[in-house]
């Protein structure tokens, strides 16, 4: 990647098979401090949370996908369909940090919020 090569980036729905990568992120204390979340959750706990929220209409979770490679997550949370607003969160893995993928993923997440969910306001 240091030779200027970039990969095609897209966001896609978070799948159960992605949880092992989320588990790695969730166990980095320095990353979880930025989200005001407690680090060090077990994979079983994460799987249970995934099962609990899979049909929750107030959340959307996406993987940042670089040609089939997991590069991070984008989440739309606290989705309020009455007031048409939500929050967006993002984590890029260390390997892909600083390469412009966060900006692209945020744009795609915000576009999804405005154009698919019909939000009027998205807060970071």
């Amino acid at each position: 990647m240091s030779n200027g090569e970039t990969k095609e980036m897209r966001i896609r729905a978070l799948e159960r098979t992605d949880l092992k990568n989320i588990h790695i992120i969730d166990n980095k204390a320095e990353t979880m401090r930025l989200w005001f979340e407690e680090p060090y959750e077990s994979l079983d706990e994460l799987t249970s949370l995934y099962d609990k929220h899979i049909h929750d209409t107030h959340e959307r979770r996406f993987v940042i996908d670089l040609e089939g490679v997991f590069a991070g997550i984008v989440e739309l949370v606290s989705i309020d369909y009455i007031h048409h607003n939500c929050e967006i969160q993002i984590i890029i893995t260390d390997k892909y940090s600083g390469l412009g993928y966060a900006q692209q993923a945020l744009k795609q997440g915000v576009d999804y919020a405005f154009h698919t969910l019909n939000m009027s306001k998205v807060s970071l």
Side-chain angles (χ1 to χ4, degrees), residues 27-73:
N27 281 285
K28 292 185 71 172
E30 61 274 13
T31 300
M32 289 296 94
R33 270 194 292 277
L34 298 173
W35 277 29
F36 306 104
E37 295 280 338
E38 181 181 349
Y40 314 123
E41 89 185 328
S42 72
L43 186 55
D44 287 340
E45 186 178 12
L46 183 60
T47 302
S48 177
L49 283 170
Y50 175 85
D51 291 341
K52 178 181 175 186
H53 292 281
I54 188 72
H55 297 291
D56 188 341
T57 60
H58 299 286
E59 302 175 353
R60 295 288 186 282
R61 289 183 165 71
F62 303 97
V63 165
I64 301 167
D65 185 293
L66 299 177
E67 300 175 4
V69 177
F70 179 94
I73 55 174

Side-chain angles (χ1 to χ4, degrees), residues 84-95:
H84 299 277
N85 61 58
C86 67
E87 297 176 15
I88 192 167
Q89 323 180 124
I90 185 169
I91 296 177
I92 300 288
T93 60
D94 292 342
K95 181 177 180 180

